[in-house]
């Protein structure tokens, strides 16, 4: 499947920006016009349709059908476009490393997604083999999860989503299974440096661990240590970020601006409210969250008593995932499946875990309040 994904990559519109940052990281003195020329010369061979205006679909955001065509024609617009994507420094760093190894600029932007896909599937198999004590069942479930549409979809994109998913799963694993907050902090920081919006989840996650700290033998100072580093990671990204959230929101969801930094539209709360109101039900209903919520409620209510501590823990853990998604929606009102991949897999693996090995995680938990 990894080989298939490599041979059938989807050249999404963000690839041109990530390719430009690859050149900037590897050739700091290269001028913007040269970068622009090299990027679009390669894309013209790889996917010429990316450079054409898309008039076949109706515009949800004013000007989106011609935006990327204008970027391909104007180096100045392209230079400012790059600044929208510098908020994912770890992903951009990994891309630049692959370019140094010898991959093309376009391949460098998506090869990490395929590597992350492989590692996620491999880790899921090891996890299931340990939880189910049945290699054949673990293999069968792993194959099914490896064909999970959001996982395959994300792995075909030049985006940080699969890498962020891998780092998220590793950080939760080293917290709940290995109970090692130091390694958790490292993976959590890298996850935030890959997708800054995961800071919301880690804030809730550490708050939850504070209430269950005695069950995991976590000291308060260690939890504060982890949280402080998460704050520093998120703060560093915001410090070097040149584009405020309001400009990004207006440019993405109301009217695409050719110069998002030079001449930004003034943030309009009424426009913001209309975007949220018009998309909230559609986005949630089109996602996997409603069906997963039905499964969560069925599992936790029918088989387990909420009076038990481990049920309370998992109920709270799944609740903070939904709370994170909800808060994130008000910041960036889109629930594209590849962006939600990490949360989907956490929910699925958590349900498997709570059904099969509660004793391992909750050996110190009392059975009653």
């Amino acid at each position: 499947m990894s080989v298939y994904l490599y041979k059938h990559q989807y050249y999404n519109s963000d690839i041109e920006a990530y390719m430009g940052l690859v050149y900037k990281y590897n050739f700091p003195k290269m001028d913007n016009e040269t970068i622009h020329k090299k990027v679009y010369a390669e894309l013209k061979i790889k996917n010429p349709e990316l450079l054409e205006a898309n008039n076949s679909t109706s515009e949800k955001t004013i000007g989106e059908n011609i935006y990327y065509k204008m970027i391909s024609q104007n180096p100045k617009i392209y230079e400012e476009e790059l600044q929208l994507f510098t908020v994912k420094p770890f992903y951009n760093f990994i891309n630049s490393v692959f370019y140094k190894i010898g991959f093309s600029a376009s391949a460098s932007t998506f090869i990490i997604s395929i590597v992350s896909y492989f590692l996620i599937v491999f880790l899921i198999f090891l996890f299931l083999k340990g939880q189910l004590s049945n290699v054949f069942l673990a293999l069968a479930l792993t194959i099914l999860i490896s064909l999970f549409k959001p996982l395959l979809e994300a792995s075909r994109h030049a985006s940080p989503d699969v890498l962020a998913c891998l780092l998220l799963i590793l950080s939760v694993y080293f917290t709940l299974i290995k109970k090692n907050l130091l390694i958790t902090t490292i993976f959590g920081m890298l996850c935030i440096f890959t997708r800054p919006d995961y800071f919301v989840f880690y804030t809730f996650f550490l708050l939850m661990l504070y209430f269950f700290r005695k069950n995991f033998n976590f000291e308060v100072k260690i939890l504060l240590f982890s949280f402080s580093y998460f704050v520093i990671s998120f703060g560093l990204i915001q410090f070097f970020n040149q584009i405020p959230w309001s400009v990004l929101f207006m440019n993405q969801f109301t009217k695409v601006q050719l110069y998002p930094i030079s001449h930004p539209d003034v943030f309009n709360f009424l426009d913001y409210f209309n975007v949220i109101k018009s998309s909230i039900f559609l986005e949630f209903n089109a996602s996997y969250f409603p069906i997963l919520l039905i499964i969560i409620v069925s599992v936790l209510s029918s088989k387990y008593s909420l009076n038990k501590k481990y049920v309370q823990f998992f109920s709270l853990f799944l609740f903070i995932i939904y709370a994170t998604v909800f808060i994130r929606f008000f910041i960036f009102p889109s629930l594209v499946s590849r962006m939600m991949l990490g949360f989907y897999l956490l929910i699925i693996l958590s349900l498997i875990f709570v059904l099969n090995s509660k004793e391992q995680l909750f050996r110190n938990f009392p059975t009653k309040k």
Side-chain angles (χ1 to χ4, degrees):
M1 183 59 73
S2 298
V3 174
Y4 177 84
L5 291 172
Y6 181 79
K7 293 182 177 180
H8 296 80
Q9 272 298 302
Y10 173 69
Y11 288 85
N12 54 307
S13 54
D14 291 346
I15 194 172
E16 42 82 26
Y18 292 126
M19 288 172 63
L21 292 173
V22 165
Y23 284 119
K24 275 187 171 294
Y25 278 42
N26 286 277
F27 307 102
K29 295 183 180 180
M30 183 180 291
D31 62 89
N32 179 68
E33 291 190 3
T34 302
I35 293 175
H36 182 268
K37 183 178 179 180
K38 289 174 71 67
V39 166
Y40 285 99
E42 183 176 341
L43 288 178
K44 189 175 182 179
I45 299 173
K46 299 285 187 180
N47 187 21
E49 294 181 1
L50 188 64
L51 313 182
E52 302 297 327
N54 180 16
N55 297 315
S56 61
T57 59
S58 59
E59 293 183 330
K60 294 182 179 180
T61 304
I62 298 174
E64 66 179 345
N65 285 347
I66 63 169
Y67 184 48
Y68 289 101
K69 180 177 176 60
M70 294 295 294
I71 292 176
S72 69
Q73 298 173 341
N74 191 322
K76 175 60 179 176
I77 301 176
Y78 178 73
E79 182 179 15
E80 295 199 337
E81 173 76 3
L82 294 185
Q83 298 183 50
L84 296 170
F85 294 85
T86 58
V87 294
K88 302 157 186 176
F90 186 63
Y91 173 69
N92 291 322
F93 168 75
I94 295 294
N95 292 345
S96 68
V97 171
F98 279 113
Y99 182 79
K100 285 183 181 293
I101 292 174
F103 289 95
S104 65
S106 59
S108 299
T109 62
F110 61 70
I111 192 68
I112 185 59
S113 295
I114 299 173
V115 173
S116 298
Y117 167 85
F118 176 84
L119 292 175
I120 288 172
V121 172
F122 180 68
L123 290 171
I124 287 175
F125 172 70
L126 294 180
F127 169 79
L128 293 178
K129 186 166 69 74
Q131 299 304 311
L132 303 176
S133 300
N134 186 320
V135 175
F136 296 105
L137 179 58
L139 180 60
L141 290 178
T142 301
I143 292 174
L144 290 175
I145 294 176
S146 73
L147 300 176
F148 187 40
K149 184 180 178 181
L151 181 56
L152 292 178
E153 178 185 323
S155 301
R156 294 182 63 222
H157 280 69
S159 77
D161 299 303
V162 190
L163 175 60
C165 174
L166 173 64
L167 296 169
L168 176 69
I169 290 175
L170 284 171
S171 64
V172 173
Y173 172 80
F174 276 98
T175 303
L176 303 184
I177 308 300
K178 296 298 184 181
K179 300 179 176 57
N180 189 325
L181 276 182
L182 176 60
I183 299 181
T184 294
T185 303
I186 294 173
F187 283 125
M189 291 174 64
L190 293 178
C191 186
I192 293 172
F193 280 130
T194 303
R195 284 201 66 93
D197 50 282
Y198 278 107
F199 174 73
V200 177
F201 169 79
Y202 283 111
T203 300
F204 284 142
F205 187 52
L206 288 180
L207 183 62
M208 180 189 70
L209 291 177
Y210 172 79
F211 289 108
F212 288 90
R213 63 189 184 278
K214 293 182 179 179
N215 303 105
F216 289 94
N217 295 320
F218 289 153
E219 298 181 8
V220 174
K221 63 180 181 180
I222 302 298
L223 293 170
L224 290 175
F225 168 84
S226 297
F227 181 67
S228 63
Y229 273 90
F230 292 153
V231 171
I232 291 172
S233 302
F234 184 75
L236 284 173
I237 293 174
Q238 299 308 313
F239 179 79
F240 290 103
N241 180 25
Q242 302 181 41
I243 302 177
W245 165 82
S246 58
V247 173
L248 178 62
F249 183 92
M250 299 297 286
N251 181 64
Q252 182 76 27
F253 297 103
T254 60
K255 179 183 177 182
V256 174
Q257 303 156 242
L258 297 181
Y259 291 93
I261 303 172
S262 301
H263 307 291
D265 286 344
V266 178
F267 179 76
N268 187 306
F269 182 78
L270 182 60
D271 289 341
Y272 165 80
F273 179 75
N274 288 334
V275 170
I276 297 294
K277 183 179 66 173
S278 64
S279 60
I280 185 168
F281 290 111
L282 179 62
E283 289 289 336
F284 275 97
N285 289 339
S287 71
Y288 289 85
F289 288 112
I291 187 65
L292 287 174
L293 184 60
I294 293 173
I295 297 173
I296 290 170
V297 173
S298 299
V299 169
L300 294 181
S301 63
S302 65
K303 191 169 183 178
Y304 297 106
S305 169
L306 287 177
N307 291 327
K308 297 179 180 179
K309 202 72 170 180
Y310 63 83
V311 178
Q312 295 174 11
F313 176 86
F314 267 109
S315 299
L316 183 57
F317 178 67
L318 296 171
F319 173 80
I320 68 172
I321 291 178
Y322 277 82
T324 299
V325 172
F326 191 72
I327 291 174
R328 184 193 178 281
F329 180 84
F330 280 89
I331 300 173
F332 191 86
S334 175
L335 296 180
V336 178
S337 291
R338 61 183 174 85
M339 296 182 182
M340 300 293 106
L341 175 62
F343 296 131
Y344 289 153
L345 291 183
L346 277 186
I347 292 172
I348 294 171
L349 296 177
S350 295
L351 289 173
I352 293 174
F353 193 98
V354 75
L355 284 169
N356 291 278
S357 60
K358 56 184 179 293
E359 294 85 2
Q360 178 183 348
L361 177 62
F362 301 105
R363 55 183 176 270
N364 296 324
F365 276 36
T367 57
K368 297 181 179 180
K369 283 186 178 179

